[in-house]
Amino acid sequence: MISLLQEAANTAAEHSEDVAGRAVDAAAQGADAAAHGAEAAAAQGAEAASSGMPQLDFSTFPNQIFWLVVTMLILYWVMSRIALPRIASVLSDRQGAITGDLMAAEEFKQKAKDAEAAYDAALAEARSEAQKIVAANKAEIQKVLDAAIADADAEIAARTVESEKRIGQIRDSAQADAQTVAKDVTAELVRIFGGNADQAQIDGAVDSRLKGVRQ
Amino acid sequence: MEGNIAELGQYIGAGLAAIGSGAAAVGVGNVAGNFLSGALRNPSAAAGQTATLFIGIAFAEALGIFAFLVALLLMFAV
Amino acid sequence: MATEAQGESTGLEFHPMEQFIVKPLFGDGPVQWYTPTNVTLWMGIILLAIIALFVMGTRGRAIVPNRVQSIAELGYGMVHKMVGDVVGKDGLKYFPYIMCLFLFIVFANMLGLLPKAFTVTSHIAVTAVLALAVFISVTVIGFVKNGTHFLGLFWVTSAPLVLRPVLAVIEVISYFVRPVSHSIRLAGNMMAGHAVIKVFAGFAALALVSPVSILAVTAMYGLEVLVAFIQAYVFTILTCVYLKDALHPGH
């Protein structure tokens, strides 16, 4: 392929030489025409070079490579010395700022949490205090109440004892009355039926009978 | 319609070489289509494979570009 | 040649390759290696555009970036992440070089799409130098970092012993084809896109088909914007892949 290309380049060169030769002929006809001819020759020469692919025109390769190398060297120098470190520092600064802000936010959040905990603790303390007061009051009232109940109980007990004593007295007197009545009635009955009974015998009989009843 | 047989051959050859561009299009379509069907099956893995997709497309297309280059060389440089 | 003949017979003029001619900026002399040409001009424009974006744009060093600075940071972040993901942590040492490659190619491709512009990356001379620089530096890095162990890249130990010599031949060939495909892919894509747009634009001379032709040029232009970015991306990511092979040859 390269040999073919060289052949093509050679033919192109011959062609432009021809054109140049014609331009020289034209030069003989006058200065104006010569200038004109030279321009035309140059234009035609460019045309001849362009008839193939400009990419394979090896005569322009050193030029392109030279300017490419120059451009790349400048670009690399600018990028590696100025632009890239600058962007890297900006990005890391931003990262740092974001991290710092996040940490500050975390700190504030922690503070808020602490405040909430303190509030909760105070609330719980107040509540327990109130409960303590309530319990103390309740105990005092209970004590008073207990004392009153005990007093009342004692009074009731005293009165019950007294009442029982009186009931017992009444019962005893009633029993004695009933015995007296029974003895009197028995003695009268014995006297009416004509018996002559000893007062002591009658008492004994009545007592023994009454004992059986009472039991 | 005068012309030498070499010129005729150039044109026929350039036309034949242009078929290669169409073949490269088939290849690129194949790569992209298979990537899409795979990506739809497992969308979470698709994002990490776009680089591979582009490499595959580049390889498929490079060969089509070679065919195009042959056509251009036949047309302009030979 | 062929195009001229066509032009004479139909009245249409196709010069799809004219836009790639390297011309001197001043006068009509021959193109010497030092001559300021349109290559020089457009490389200067590319350089100025990159400096405008990356040096002027980031001058504020703002924590909250403005628009230009955020574009610069976006590009930085994209390439940085690509190098980190594909090559690994030890590849970040070569990040400035890869960043320069990416920026140069993406700006050359994009600025080349401006009307009347000259696309430096459409020339095989430019892309071949870029690809050869990558190839040579990657090979040197591979041998310096790994010594002869780097040759393990070609000796696939996971394959059966019988197949290994065959695979080694294939691997060596594919290794040396890398710079060729690497450079021709970029130049070919750029050249093809611009030539196709030029051909469609040539059809606009016929009144009958000119609306179709203009629509086609618009559509191709959109595609070319996409291709311009993707080719820069692909060039960069392939550089990263080659670098990864050099730093970690054990697959």
Side-chain angles (χ1 to χ4, degrees), chain A residues 50 55 63-64 67 86 94, chain C residues 32 35 37 55 63 73 122:
Chain A
S50 77
Q55 277 85 355
N63 180 275
Q64 295 189 48
W67 289 113
R86 187 185 286 175
R94 182 174 309 150
Chain C
Q32 300 292 339
T35 319
T37 54
V55 178
I63 293 289
E73 283 170 11
S122 69

Side-chain angles (χ1 to χ4, degrees), chain A residues 178-201:
Chain A
Q179 272 178 358
T180 320
V181 168
K183 280 168 194 170
D184 286 354
V185 168
T186 307
E188 201 64 28
L189 278 171
V190 169
R191 197 183 48 87
I192 288 170
F193 283 123
N196 197 3
D198 189 1
Q199 190 65 32
Q201 268 185 323

Side-chain angles (χ1 to χ4, degrees), chain A residues 14-26 37 41-42 44:
Chain A
E14 279 167 24
H15 188 58
S16 48
E17 270 169 26
D18 274 5
V19 173
R22 262 185 274 151
V24 169
D25 289 347
Q44 275 185 329

Side-chain angles (χ1 to χ4, degrees), chain B residues 17-33 56-68, chain C residues 223:
Chain B
I19 296 174
S21 304
V26 173
V28 172
N30 209 359
V31 172
I57 286 181
F59 277 126
E61 199 185 6
L63 302 173
I65 292 292
F66 288 158
F68 173 75
Chain C
L223 182 69

Side-chain angles (χ1 to χ4, degrees), chain A residues 88-100:
Chain A
S89 79
V90 166
L91 288 181
S92 72
D93 278 3
R94 182 174 309 150
Q95 198 57 44
I98 289 172
T99 322

Side-chain angles (χ1 to χ4, degrees), chain A residues 39 42-43 46-47 49-57 59-72 74-80 82-91 93-94 97, chain C residues 1 4 17 20-22 28 31-37 39-40 43 47 50-51 54-55 58-59 61-63 65 69 72-73 76 95-97 99-101 103-104 122-126 129-130 191:
Chain A
E39 268 172 37
E47 195 85 4
S50 77
S51 62
M53 279 172 73
Q55 277 85 355
L56 296 175
D57 183 1
S59 66
T60 65
F61 272 31
N63 180 275
Q64 295 189 48
I65 292 168
F66 169 68
W67 289 113
L68 173 68
V69 169
V70 169
T71 310
M72 283 310 279
I74 298 174
L75 182 61
Y76 186 78
W77 187 82
V78 169
M79 292 309 280
S80 63
I82 304 171
L84 296 181
R86 187 185 286 175
I87 294 179
S89 79
V90 166
L91 288 181
D93 278 3
R94 182 174 309 150
Chain C
M1 276 176 70
E4 283 160 18
M17 290 302 168
F20 302 122
I21 298 169
V22 178
D28 281 327
V31 179
Q32 300 292 339
W33 62 268
Y34 52 81
T35 319
T37 54
V39 178
T40 321
M43 282 196 181
L47 201 54
I50 296 175
I51 289 175
F54 274 83
V55 178
T58 60
R59 206 172 33 190
R61 297 163 181 265
I63 293 289
Q69 192 186 331
E73 283 170 11
Y76 180 97
F95 165 68
Y97 180 55
M99 184 77 191
C100 282
L101 275 181
L103 283 179
F104 179 78
S122 69
H123 273 262
I124 193 74
V126 172
V129 169
L130 292 176
M191 187 188 0

Side-chain angles (χ1 to χ4, degrees), chain B residues 7 10-11 50-52 54-55 57-59 61-62 65-66 68-69 72 74-78, chain C residues 1-3 16-17 86 180-181 184-185 188-189 191-192 195 230-231 233-234 237-238 241-242:
Chain B
E7 206 169 322
Q10 271 182 10
Y11 290 155
T50 39
T52 324
F54 280 117
I55 294 176
I57 286 181
F59 277 126
E61 199 185 6
I65 292 292
F66 288 158
F68 173 75
L69 199 74
L72 275 184
L74 284 170
M75 286 289 284
F76 294 110
V78 176
Chain C
M1 276 176 70
T3 50
M17 290 302 168
V86 178
V180 178
S181 70
I184 288 186
R185 180 182 303 114
N189 263 297
M191 187 188 0
I230 285 184
Q231 287 308 316
Y233 182 84
V234 161
I237 206 164
L238 284 178
V241 170
Y242 298 160

Side-chain angles (χ1 to χ4, degrees), chain B residues 2-18:
Chain B
E2 276 180 40
N4 57 24
I5 194 92
E7 206 169 322
L8 179 73
Q10 271 182 10
Y11 290 155
I12 292 176
L16 286 176

